Protein backbone atom coordinates (compact mmCIF):
# COMPACT_ATOMS: atom_id res chain seq x y z
CA UNK A 1 0.00 0.00 0.00
CA UNK A 2 1.14 3.48 -0.76
CA UNK A 3 1.76 6.01 1.97
CA UNK A 4 -0.60 8.91 1.26
CA UNK A 5 -0.12 12.28 2.88
CA UNK A 6 -2.88 14.82 3.21
CA UNK A 7 -2.05 18.47 2.85
CA UNK A 8 -5.15 19.76 4.58
CA UNK A 9 -5.52 19.94 8.31
CA UNK A 10 -8.40 18.05 9.87
CA UNK A 11 -9.83 21.23 11.39
CA UNK A 12 -10.29 22.72 7.93
CA UNK A 13 -12.23 19.64 6.87
CA UNK A 14 -14.46 19.87 9.94
CA UNK A 15 -15.01 23.58 9.25
CA UNK A 16 -15.99 22.80 5.66
CA UNK A 17 -18.36 20.09 6.85
CA UNK A 18 -19.95 22.50 9.33
CA UNK A 19 -20.52 25.08 6.59
CA UNK A 20 -21.99 22.43 4.29
CA UNK A 21 -24.31 21.13 7.03
CA UNK A 22 -25.50 24.65 7.84
CA UNK A 23 -26.22 25.41 4.18
CA UNK A 24 -28.01 22.12 3.55
CA UNK A 25 -29.90 21.81 6.83
CA UNK A 26 -33.69 21.76 6.64
CA UNK A 27 -35.37 25.09 7.29
CA UNK A 28 -37.08 25.16 10.69
CA UNK A 29 -38.23 28.77 10.60
CA UNK A 30 -41.92 27.80 10.79
CA UNK A 31 -41.35 25.68 13.90
CA UNK A 32 -39.42 28.49 15.60
CA UNK A 33 -42.14 31.02 14.76
CA UNK A 34 -44.80 28.68 16.18
CA UNK A 35 -42.70 28.13 19.31
CA UNK A 36 -42.25 31.88 19.83
CA UNK A 37 -45.99 32.50 19.43
CA UNK A 38 -46.84 29.74 21.88
CA UNK A 39 -44.20 30.96 24.33
CA UNK A 40 -45.71 34.45 24.31
CA UNK A 41 -49.17 33.01 24.84
CA UNK A 42 -47.99 30.70 27.63
CA UNK A 43 -46.21 33.55 29.41
CA UNK A 44 -49.40 35.60 29.34
CA UNK A 45 -51.86 32.88 30.29
CA UNK A 46 -50.08 30.24 32.38
CA UNK A 47 -47.76 32.11 34.75
CA UNK A 48 -48.56 33.80 38.03
CA UNK A 49 -47.97 37.56 38.24
CA UNK A 50 -44.83 36.99 40.35
CA UNK A 51 -43.46 34.47 37.85
CA UNK A 52 -44.11 36.88 34.97
CA UNK A 53 -42.31 39.64 36.84
CA UNK A 54 -39.28 37.50 37.67
CA UNK A 55 -39.03 36.12 34.13
CA UNK A 56 -39.20 39.60 32.65
CA UNK A 57 -36.51 40.93 34.97
CA UNK A 58 -34.24 37.93 34.41
CA UNK A 59 -34.56 37.27 30.68
CA UNK A 60 -35.91 40.46 29.14
CA UNK A 61 -34.03 43.01 31.22
CA UNK A 62 -30.94 40.91 32.01
CA UNK A 63 -30.93 41.28 35.79
CA UNK A 64 -29.17 38.72 37.96
CA UNK A 65 -30.91 36.75 40.70
CA UNK A 66 -29.34 38.86 43.49
CA UNK A 67 -30.44 42.06 41.72
CA UNK A 68 -34.00 40.75 41.36
CA UNK A 69 -34.05 39.67 45.00
CA UNK A 70 -32.97 43.11 46.11
CA UNK A 71 -35.42 44.93 43.82
CA UNK A 72 -38.40 42.81 44.91
CA UNK A 73 -37.29 42.53 48.55
CA UNK A 74 -37.14 38.72 48.41
CA UNK A 75 -34.60 36.06 49.33
CA UNK A 76 -32.35 34.87 46.51
CA UNK A 77 -33.62 31.34 47.03
CA UNK A 78 -37.21 32.54 46.56
CA UNK A 79 -36.28 34.22 43.29
CA UNK A 80 -34.43 31.11 42.15
CA UNK A 81 -37.36 28.82 43.01
CA UNK A 82 -39.85 31.15 41.31
CA UNK A 83 -37.71 31.22 38.19
CA UNK A 84 -37.37 27.43 38.17
CA UNK A 85 -41.12 26.91 38.64
CA UNK A 86 -41.91 29.38 35.86
CA UNK A 87 -39.52 27.61 33.48
CA UNK A 88 -40.95 24.22 34.42
CA UNK A 89 -44.49 25.44 33.81
CA UNK A 90 -43.55 26.91 30.44
CA UNK A 91 -41.78 23.69 29.49
CA UNK A 92 -44.86 21.65 30.32
CA UNK A 93 -47.01 23.98 28.23
CA UNK A 94 -44.66 24.03 25.22
CA UNK A 95 -43.42 20.44 25.26
CA UNK A 96 -45.91 19.28 22.64
CA UNK A 97 -46.41 22.60 20.87
CA UNK A 98 -44.26 21.71 17.88
Amino acid sequence: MRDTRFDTRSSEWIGDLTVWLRENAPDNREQLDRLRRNLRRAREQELTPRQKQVLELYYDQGHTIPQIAEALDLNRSTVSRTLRRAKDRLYRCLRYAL
Side-chain angles (χ1 to χ4, degrees), residues 11-46:
S11 62
E12 289 176 0
W13 183 83
I14 291 172
D16 292 342
L17 180 62
T18 303
V19 169
W20 183 86
L21 286 172
R22 193 175 300 135
E23 290 173 353
N24 294 302
D27 188 16
N28 62 350
R29 219 172 304 145
E30 290 178 24
Q31 290 176 325
L32 289 174
D33 288 342
R34 187 171 40 241
L35 180 62
R36 286 185 188 105
R37 268 194 318 272
N38 290 338
L39 177 61
R40 250 190 316 275
R41 191 175 304 131
R43 278 180 76 167
E44 293 169 2
Q45 296 175 359
E46 298 296 327

Side-chain angles (χ1 to χ4, degrees), residues 3-5 8-9 21 24 31 33 35 39 42 44-46 50 53-54 60 62 68 78 80-81 84 90 93 95:
D3 182 26
T4 305
R5 293 186 180 257
T8 61
R9 297 186 311 242
L21 286 172
N24 294 302
Q31 290 176 325
D33 288 342
L35 180 62
L39 177 61
E44 293 169 2
Q45 296 175 359
E46 298 296 327
R50 167 72 49 83
Q53 186 179 28
V54 169
D60 300 340
I68 296 169
T78 303
S80 180
R81 277 193 310 271
R84 166 67 19 216
L90 290 175
C93 291
R95 182 172 33 188

